[in-house]
Amino acid sequence: MARRTNDVLGRKVQLVPTWSGPLDVSMAGNVLLPGENARIAPTTFDQWLAAGAT
């Protein structure tokens, strides 16, 4: 998502994946996915990016 957002915004940065810092390996996998009772908005990430990503 970070790479795609930077591309749309015209930012040329090199992103280096790392698990050091506050967002460590405990944030990997499906841990950030919504629960079964989540209300999901109809807007996709790609639609949000195309609309301006600001």
Side-chain angles (χ1 to χ4, degrees):
M1 290 175 74
R3 285 185 180 96
R4 289 166 51 196
T5 302
N6 281 320
D7 286 345
V8 166
L9 296 175
R11 297 179 185 156
K12 302 298 178 203
V13 297
Q14 180 180 4
L15 299 175
V16 180
T18 180
W19 289 115
S20 63
L23 302 177
D24 61 11
V25 74
S26 67
M27 302 299 277
N30 295 333
V31 70
L32 296 177
L33 294 178
E36 62 183 58
N37 294 325
R39 292 174 42 200
I40 307 296
T43 305
T44 66
F45 183 67
D46 288 326
Q47 290 168 334
W48 177 79
L49 281 177
T54 55

